[in-house]
């Protein structure tokens, strides 16, 4: 249902169908809207990527920031972490099936940004 504002007979305003806190859009933005999160998912869509390579792909992000965002995405079930036992030991990240469900949204966002040059 859509949230609306109605003016009562006494001039006071009343909210009809207010969003429950947090609303669906807010919950979604908490998952995908954090800085670098969407970009991380985007870069993982084709294959698992090692941590250092992913950090390089993200250009302006520090390794600490990438590590924090990956931990958040992992806790949310959007990426998985795999330790590679080669020498030197490395860590790779892969997108999960749940993470893949966000790619349609990100594709539409990309198209919108390209179309309106935002």
């Amino acid at each position: 249902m859509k949230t609306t504002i109605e003016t009562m007979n006494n001039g006071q305003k009343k909210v009809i169908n207010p969003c429950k806190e947090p609303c669906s859009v807010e919950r979604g933005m908490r998952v995908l809207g954090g800085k670098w999160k969407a970009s991380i998912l985007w870069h993982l869509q084709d294959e698992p990527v090692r941590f250092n390579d992913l950090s390089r792909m993200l250009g302006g992000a520090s390794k600490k920031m990438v590590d924090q965002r990956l931990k958040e995405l992992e806790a949310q079930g959007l990426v998985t972490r795999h330790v590679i036992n080669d020498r030197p030991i490395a860590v790779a990240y892969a997108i999960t099936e749940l993470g893949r469900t966000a790619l349609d949204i990100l594709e539409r966002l990309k198209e919108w940004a390209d179309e309106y040059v935002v």
Side-chain angles (χ1 to χ4, degrees):
M1 294 184 160
K2 185 172 175 142
T3 301
T4 58
I5 304 286
E6 286 186 8
T7 303
M8 309 304 284
N9 290 338
N10 63 3
Q12 290 184 329
K13 297 194 178 210
K14 179 180 178 183
V15 178
I16 309 299
N17 298 319
C19 289
K20 296 192 180 357
E21 292 294 327
C23 69
S24 301
V25 172
E26 180 63 27
R27 288 193 320 268
M29 289 302 296
R30 287 179 183 178
V31 174
L32 297 178
K35 191 164 186 178
W36 304 110
K37 285 180 167 184
S39 295
I40 288 169
L41 291 175
W42 190 258
H43 288 298
L44 295 177
Q45 69 180 312
D46 295 325
E47 61 187 356
V49 179
R50 288 183 178 215
F51 176 82
N52 285 331
D53 293 337
L54 184 58
S55 293
R56 287 183 193 100
M57 291 174 174
L58 294 171
S62 69
K63 287 187 176 189
K64 180 179 178 181
M65 178 66 71
V66 175
D67 182 58
Q68 287 175 337
R69 294 304 175 251
L70 284 165
K71 285 179 181 172
E72 292 169 9
L73 289 167
E74 185 179 13
Q76 294 164 328
L78 300 173
V79 301
T80 56
R81 180 180 187 268
H82 304 282
V83 176
I84 302 166
N85 289 323
D86 295 340
R87 292 271 185 227
I89 293 176
V91 176
Y93 290 87
I95 193 168
T96 64
E97 287 305 311
L98 177 60
R100 287 197 176 285
T101 63
L103 293 175
D104 289 337
I105 297 163
L106 298 179
E107 178 65 33
R108 291 179 59 207
L109 180 62
K110 177 187 171 298
E111 290 169 359
W112 176 79
D114 289 343
E115 182 177 346
Y116 294 101
V117 193
V118 293

